[in-house]
Amino acid sequence: MTAEPLTFEHIPVLPQETLAGLQPQPGGHYLDATVGGGGHSRLILAADPTLRLTALDQDGAAIAAAQAALGEYCDRITFCRSNFAEFDPGKDRFDGILADLGVSSAQFDIPERGFSFRLTAPLDMRMDQRQETSAADIVNHGEEVELARIIYTYGEERLSRRIARQIVAQRPFTTTTELANAISQCVPGKYRYGRIHPATRTFQALRIAVNRELEVLERFLELAPTWLKPKGRLAIISFHSLEDRLVKHALKGSPLLSVVTKKPIIATDEEVQQNPRSRSAKLRVAERREELP
């Protein structure tokens, strides 16, 4: 849809903390592995007029939005529509790499994308709309045992079996609100009116499964250190415990990296007030070793 690039806005979380972690250098070459609407890329490009940036995203709407938003820097940016685990930098090596994981604000806020149950929309959830499998395919055709496994593993949902049983009993589902309402109906009352909507964890789980997010992240965490120049920085922002756990152990376990942030950096109270979606953000940074141990 032509309107998507116009609404694909990106308020970067942990902006100054991310810049401090990356330490952009004059003449450097940086990789934004999840450009989204271009918020972090703009910060990096504005840090010095001589540095270059390669910007990736698997979402075509994100690439279009970033190209429009960052037009003033067009002579210093190379755009590539790619999943960051499938990206091939060739002979290029980077002075810094940033990955802002998860779903962007725009993907949540554009109803047609189906990531949110706040508005009625098709059960989609594909970050790359070129792929075939959508959330509707998993919900309407998955075995009950497999649905329960997905909801428990990726959503950390303790009522996964009950929810999977309800889904199988009431399917097919075509919209986000149909599914969310079915989940609400099958959980206990105290759960239904808890701090978060009872469908929240199931929707997270389906999104992760549709986009193979953890599998892709694991592959990226293997590859990214090899793309860095000596003393190059890798900065990763995660938004839930499954991602953060993978990032923490991968950075610590890589023989190519030295961990810079012993504990994750989180948003200040002031930032959370201005941008509530920064509340769950965690930034971890590591540096490529000059010599291997």
Side-chain angles (χ1 to χ4, degrees), residues 253-275:
S254 174
L256 301 179
L257 298 174
S258 296
V259 174
V260 175
T261 50
K262 302 305 180 185
K263 294 184 177 180
I265 298 171
I266 61 175
T268 63
D269 292 341
E270 181 181 0
E271 180 178 359
V272 171
Q273 288 180 353
Q274 295 175 350
N275 180 13

Side-chain angles (χ1 to χ4, degrees), residues 240-266:
H240 58 74
S241 59
L242 298 175
E243 290 176 337
D244 183 59
R245 198 175 302 131
L246 284 176
V247 173
K248 175 184 177 180
H249 292 302
L251 298 189
K252 184 178 180 180
S254 174
L256 301 179
L257 298 174
S258 296
V259 174
V260 175
T261 50
K262 302 305 180 185
K263 294 184 177 180
I265 298 171
I266 61 175

Side-chain angles (χ1 to χ4, degrees), residues 117 157 179-181 183-184 196-204:
F117 47 78
E157 172 58 75
L179 179 60
N181 290 338
I183 293 169
S184 293
I196 65 171
H197 191 285
T200 300
R201 294 186 181 92
T202 298
F203 269 63
Q204 173 184 297

Side-chain angles (χ1 to χ4, degrees), residues 69-85:
L70 301 172
E72 65 191 283
Y73 301 108
C74 62
D75 58 331
R76 294 195 278 133
I77 309 178
T78 301
F79 288 97
C80 179
R81 186 178 180 185
S82 173
N83 181 306
F84 55 45

